[in-house]
Amino acid sequence: MAQYALHPDGRTLQGVTDAVLLDAGAVRLGGALHPNETQKAMLKRGYGMFIHFGVNTFSGDEWSDGTVPVSAYNPTRLDCDQWVRVARDAGFRYVLLITKHHDGFCLWDSKYTDYDVASSPVKTDVVGEVSKACKKYGLQFAIYYSLWDRHEPL
């Protein structure tokens, strides 16, 4: 596999293997890697914070199979506003929140599952609160939602 990576200003650099860029739709032309339009927009967007928070935060698992009890999700000092304020103060331009990862746990009250914050000891709609804080602090808000659901597989 060719070894190329994108520099934040859009230049190509040699010496770094980055299959993610190829998988994301980058095109290798004439020995150089050129970003597609989505990648160019991401580079323009700049520095962002990726927040991965959920039931596994409290179980000690990096990934789970969706069997961690919903009662394990019990943040005692949840402050989504603080997360986004810190992101802004650190110079981030956007926040990307994992709203549901492969374990199936939803950070909002979902009408499609009881594996969510509404069924947990702390019922805060994390998606709504992070979105509200992003508006307050002037950061862009993005979400990641995994289609794979190990808690309620098809």
Side-chain angles (χ1 to χ4, degrees), residues 32-105:
L33 185 65
H34 299 279
N36 64 28
E37 292 307 311
T38 301
Q39 292 166 329
K40 288 178 184 177
M42 185 72 173
L43 292 170
K44 185 177 179 181
R45 194 172 298 121
Y47 195 45
M49 178 184 276
F50 190 86
I51 300 174
H52 193 166
F53 176 79
V55 71
N56 291 346
T57 305
F58 304 93
S59 68
D61 299 311
E62 182 175 349
W63 276 36
S64 76
D65 59 5
T67 59
V68 175
V70 73
S71 61
Y73 177 82
N74 193 13
T76 56
R77 296 181 349 189
L78 181 61
D79 187 350
C80 302
D81 187 88
Q82 182 259 350
W83 298 348
V84 178
R85 186 179 68 252
V86 167
R88 185 222 37 211
D89 292 351
F92 289 101
R93 294 171 60 188
Y94 67 92
V95 168
L96 190 150
L97 176 68
I98 307 296
T99 61
K100 180 180 85 70
H101 202 245
H102 312 320
D103 56 41
F105 186 77

Side-chain angles (χ1 to χ4, degrees), residues 84-127:
V84 178
R85 186 179 68 252
V86 167
R88 185 222 37 211
D89 292 351
F92 289 101
R93 294 171 60 188
Y94 67 92
V95 168
L96 190 150
L97 176 68
I98 307 296
T99 61
K100 180 180 85 70
H101 202 245
H102 312 320
D103 56 41
F105 186 77
C106 298
L107 291 178
W108 75 97
D109 180 5
S110 172
K111 67 180 181 180
Y112 300 106
T113 184
D114 60 358
Y115 202 55
D116 63 6
V117 294
S119 302
S120 77
V122 177
K123 300 178 183 344
T124 302
D125 175 354
V126 176
V127 179

Side-chain angles (χ1 to χ4, degrees), residues 124-146:
T124 302
D125 175 354
V126 176
V127 179
E129 291 300 311
V130 172
S131 174
K132 185 168 66 174
C134 283
K135 287 177 188 166
K136 176 180 176 181
Y137 293 109
L139 275 70
Q140 293 179 356
F141 178 57
I143 63 167
Y144 171 93
Y145 175 92
S146 174

